[in-house]
Amino acid sequence: MLAIFKRELRSYFTTATGYIFLAISLALFGAILGATTLMNATSSTGTYFILVLIILAMILPILTMKSFSEEKRTKTEQLLLTAPVSIPRMVLGKYLAALTMYVIVVLASMLNYIPLYTYTVKDALSSTMPPNFVMILGSTIAILLVGMSFIAIGMFVSSLTENQFAAVVITFGILAALLCITIFNGYISSAAIRLILDWFSIYNRFYNFTYGLFDFGALIYYLSVSGVFVFLTIRVFESRRYR
Amino acid sequence: MVEIKNLVKKYGNKYALDDISFTINSGEIVGFLGPNGAGKSTTMNIVTGYLASTSGTVVVDGKDILENALEAKKLIGYLPEQPPLYVDMTVQEYLDFVFELKGCTLNKAKHIDEICTITKITSVRERLIKNLSKGYKQRVGIAQALIGNPPIIIFDEPTVGLDPKQIIEVRNLIRNLGKTHTVILSTHILSEVQSVCNRIVVINNGKIVADEKTENLTKTITENLRYRVKVSGPQREVTQALRTIPGIVNVEALNERDADAFVYIVEGAPNVDIRKKLFRTLAAKDWPMLGLEAVGTDLEDIFIRLTDKTGKKKGE
């Protein structure tokens, strides 16, 4: 498992994927944090994290597009599947590699908070408003967990196709749909369907974190989504052998 | 060493493998011969645990490939039809990765050194795999299969797409490996199994049509063989002289001409080797024989012969 993890992480940097991912995400996160806080004369990070959530849906598919589709296309998966490594370990190795890349980005983007603390923002009444540390920490944890489930979904899609481009587009479609549930939900009249769709909504659960509420239910939800899609990816490989 | 029992593989409604059974003993070099689409790769993929069979079992040294997969896979080194290379790695990085992937406990640097020497890739170790020639890529693929010293090595079409010199090198390499390993070599080239293997299993349309020692099979195929002979001499007289040789049942003069030499197709009776008589007759008349080659030993012919033979056996 360690060998697969190491090779996968390395491959992000021998191809352009890793650099593109790091560059785009760090640039966007920095720009958005600046625009929503300092330039807006507020230290509230609520808007920032909501925008980060939307951006993740667009850039995390880049991270996972290759994981299995490329191996399938170049037949290198034959090496992995005939090596004495179990399928769950193979999938986990790849999942953890993508997750590591993502954690690196989130940790690096935390440097952006330094100016938030050093340039103390004054509101209209000239009283200082220090950034809310608990709110930032809570939201960061939530962002990490949401990313975990996005990566699991992306990896699952990648295991279904040989085409990286298809993997990106389909993953983005699924993630966008999960985010948009909240918007569409306003138009649905049946309360029962609204309730069910609400349960799937990533946005609703995330919203609480941006107000500084730590929602343990959401935590479990994000972890479950990750677990389910990692499990489904494993099943894809197990069932493919029988086809 | 490898026991294959009643293997069936269905893709949808089509049988890719239809009840295949054979056993490979320790130390054998077995050629797995068949035309494209006969089920060779499917069999290899099932034996190595890449695919699962619809029914039937594969047992590697007492370990079932499905139930005891990890233990069984440790015993097999596999070079698939397309070498599974990560082209953005150097050869050294790739072999390091395979070493760790297989969880080997040998001395890493020394073991990889040895394998690079055997497969003659020491000079390209620091190069990116994507920049290597096809022959070198194939050898890196073989090196990958050898890592961890598995007792069984499986090659699926290892010489396809190589130039003649590379083909000879790869064959020599496989022959040498056969001295210390059990080798399964899948191919559609008859001369390849003849030169490398000591046993041949022939598969056609998902069924095994022959499983014999190489000498025996070669004998079966060469009986009642036709030869293409090029003789320097007057066409009509040569034709007549050839017809008088006992054991020759048919002579046909072709309209191919090379200076004063003509080409003839000569067919001998079953179980008679006409080549020596042919030579003596022509030598006595002072008509130099410029060429002699067997015709009709292509794989298609062999399959027709083999399937005919089994058909007759069943009919008896």
Side-chain angles (χ1 to χ4, degrees), chain B residues 13-294:
Chain B
N13 275 331
K14 194 187 166 283
Y15 280 91
L17 294 181
D18 188 1
D19 198 15
I20 280 189
S21 301
F22 61 96
T23 304
I24 290 158
N25 305 313
S26 186
E28 274 186 319
I29 310 183
V30 176
F32 199 53
L33 185 71
N36 293 327
K40 298 191 300 288
S41 289
T42 305
T43 311
M44 301 294 111
N45 281 333
I46 291 173
V47 171
T48 53
Y50 177 60
L51 292 177
S53 55
T54 309
S55 68
T57 55
V58 174
V59 178
V60 183
D61 201 18
K63 292 156 188 103
D64 190 290
I65 194 72
L66 285 183
E67 281 159 25
N68 210 340
L70 299 191
E71 289 300 309
K73 284 176 183 175
K74 270 186 193 164
L75 302 172
I76 300 177
Y78 181 36
L79 173 68
E81 208 169 344
Q82 189 180 337
L85 305 173
Y86 290 102
V87 292
D88 56 354
M89 292 176 121
T90 66
V91 173
Q92 180 71 45
E93 286 166 347
Y94 175 69
L95 295 178
D96 282 347
F97 163 67
V98 176
F99 186 92
E100 285 171 36
L101 181 72
K102 292 189 178 178
C104 302
T105 47
L106 300 153
N107 179 327
K108 186 169 168 182
K110 197 172 153 238
H111 183 55
I112 293 179
D113 273 351
E114 278 170 12
I115 285 171
C116 288
T117 313
I118 296 172
T119 51
K120 293 182 188 159
I121 51 173
T122 311
S123 60
V124 297
R125 276 171 82 165
E126 297 308 324
R127 286 181 48 191
L128 281 177
I129 294 177
K130 66 175 152 204
N131 296 335
L132 296 181
S133 68
K134 187 138 204 260
Y136 269 117
K137 280 183 184 160
Q138 195 72 17
R139 277 191 253 173
V140 175
I142 296 175
Q144 162 274 122
L146 296 181
I147 283 190
N149 269 335
I152 302 160
I153 303 176
I154 298 179
F155 296 104
D156 193 356
E157 306 260 4
T159 56
V160 165
L162 300 184
D163 69 36
K165 187 166 165 271
Q166 293 166 335
I167 290 178
I168 292 169
E169 282 173 0
V170 168
R171 281 182 193 167
N172 285 338
L173 182 59
I174 294 172
R175 208 177 289 127
N176 283 330
L177 288 172
K179 288 173 191 160
T180 45
H181 297 78
T182 304
V183 175
I184 305 177
L185 170 70
S186 140
T187 178
H188 64 269
I189 304 159
L190 176 67
S191 59
E192 190 155 293
V193 278
Q194 279 177 326
S195 73
V196 177
C197 305
N198 41 38
R199 187 176 137 205
I200 302 182
V201 176
V202 186
I203 180 171
N204 194 22
N205 283 330
K207 285 189 173 142
I208 290 188
V209 289
D211 178 358
E212 282 177 73
K213 290 231 182 281
T214 308
E215 311 93 83
N216 298 349
L217 190 73
T218 319
K219 216 181 281 166
T220 342
I221 359 184
T222 43
E223 75 188 21
N224 190 18
L225 206 61
R226 299 190 304 160
Y227 292 93
R228 192 184 154 86
V229 196
K230 194 190 250 185
V231 184
S232 171
Q235 194 179 26
R236 190 172 296 162
E237 281 97 283
V238 172
T239 312
Q240 273 165 5
L242 287 177
R243 287 215 171 103
T244 58
I245 301 175
I248 288 186
V249 292
N250 192 19
V251 178
E252 185 188 343
L254 299 182
N255 279 328
E256 270 177 59
R257 196 183 167 143
D258 176 7
D260 63 339
F262 293 88
V263 177
Y264 309 85
I265 297 290
V266 179
E267 193 180 333
N271 301 320
V272 180
D273 192 344
I274 56 172
R275 287 171 296 184
K276 286 176 191 166
K277 288 178 197 157
L278 207 58
F279 170 79
R280 289 199 182 107
T281 313
L282 293 170
K285 301 260 191 186
D286 197 22
W287 292 324
M289 183 157 72
L290 302 184
L292 175 69
E293 62 178 315

Side-chain angles (χ1 to χ4, degrees), chain A residues 33 36-49 113 115-117 119-123 127-133 135-136 210:
Chain A
L33 186 68
T36 55
T37 57
L38 295 178
M39 286 166 75
N40 229 3
T42 170
S43 60
S44 161
T45 48
T47 324
Y48 165 68
F49 278 109
Y113 301 132
L116 207 58
Y117 279 91
Y119 293 92
T120 315
V121 180
K122 293 194 192 261
D123 68 4
S127 57
T128 51
M129 288 197 320
N132 186 335
F133 175 73
M135 222 165 88
I136 291 181
T210 60

Side-chain angles (χ1 to χ4, degrees), chain A residues 22-33:
Chain A
L22 288 178
I24 294 183
S25 45
L26 287 176
L28 283 176
F29 290 174
I32 291 170
L33 186 68

Side-chain angles (χ1 to χ4, degrees), chain A residues 6 10 71 77 81 241, chain B residues 50 52 73 86 93 100:
Chain A
K6 271 161 60 186
R10 227 188 119 274
E71 302 247 3
E77 62 167 19
L81 293 171
R241 302 169 70 209
Chain B
Y50 177 60
K73 284 176 183 175
Y86 290 102
E93 286 166 347
E100 285 171 36

Side-chain angles (χ1 to χ4, degrees), chain A:
Chain A
M1 187 169 96
L2 190 65
I4 293 176
F5 171 78
K6 271 161 60 186
R7 198 212 71 79
E8 195 69 14
L9 205 55
R10 227 188 119 274
S11 82
Y12 282 124
F13 294 103
T14 51
T15 59
T17 323
Y19 295 107
I20 291 175
F21 174 74
L22 288 178
I24 294 183
S25 45
L26 287 176
L28 283 176
F29 290 174
I32 291 170
L33 186 68
T36 55
T37 57
L38 295 178
M39 286 166 75
N40 229 3
T42 170
S43 60
S44 161
T45 48
T47 324
Y48 165 68
F49 278 109
I50 295 218
L51 288 172
V52 163
L53 179 71
I54 294 166
I55 287 174
L56 285 183
M58 293 190 271
I59 57 172
L60 279 181
I62 300 177
L63 202 57
T64 53
M65 65 179 182
K66 279 214 311 178
S67 47
F68 289 109
S69 47
E70 179 77 355
E71 302 247 3
K72 198 170 173 181
R73 195 178 61 81
T74 59
K75 302 268 164 88
T76 44
E77 62 167 19
Q78 262 181 315
L79 174 65
L80 303 182
L81 293 171
T82 57
V85 178
S86 68
I87 292 172
R89 276 164 174 268
M90 177 190 86
V91 171
L92 270 183
K94 291 203 162 240
Y95 180 64
L96 290 180
L99 201 57
T100 305
M101 285 294 289
Y102 174 60
V103 171
I104 290 172
V105 161
V106 172
L107 289 182
S109 74
M110 287 178 94
L111 290 174
N112 296 342
Y113 301 132
I114 294 173
L116 207 58
Y117 279 91
T118 50
Y119 293 92
T120 315
V121 180
K122 293 194 192 261
D123 68 4
L125 299 167
S126 288
S127 57
T128 51
M129 288 197 320
N132 186 335
F133 175 73
V134 178
M135 222 165 88
I136 291 181
L137 185 72
S139 300
T140 305
I141 292 174
I143 277 292
L144 278 174
L145 290 169
V146 170
M148 271 178 82
S149 33
F150 283 9
I151 292 172
I153 294 171
M155 192 174 70
F156 170 69
V157 173
S158 175
S159 73
L160 296 176
T161 170
E162 287 184 25
N163 186 332
Q164 293 183 31
F165 185 67
V168 167
V169 174
I170 296 169
T171 310
F172 174 67
I174 294 174
L175 298 183
L178 282 174
L179 285 179
C180 291
I181 287 177
T182 314
I183 303 172
F184 298 128
N185 233 2
Y187 298 100
I188 293 172
S189 51
S190 158
I193 294 179
R194 267 213 307 273
L195 201 70
I196 295 170
L197 284 179
D198 254 357
W199 194 86
F200 281 104
S201 172
I202 285 181
Y203 182 83
N204 279 7
R205 288 169 199 274
F206 187 76
Y207 202 60
N208 293 334
F209 287 96
T210 60
Y211 278 100
L213 286 172
F214 203 86
D215 180 354
F216 278 97
L219 204 101
I220 306 268
Y221 170 78
Y222 294 138
L223 286 177
S224 319
V225 171
S226 317
V228 164
F229 279 95
V230 169
F231 174 75
L232 285 177
T233 312
I234 294 170
R235 289 297 304 155
V236 166
F237 279 94
E238 282 173 351
S239 72
R240 246 202 15 230
R241 302 169 70 209
Y242 288 92
R243 243 178 282 147

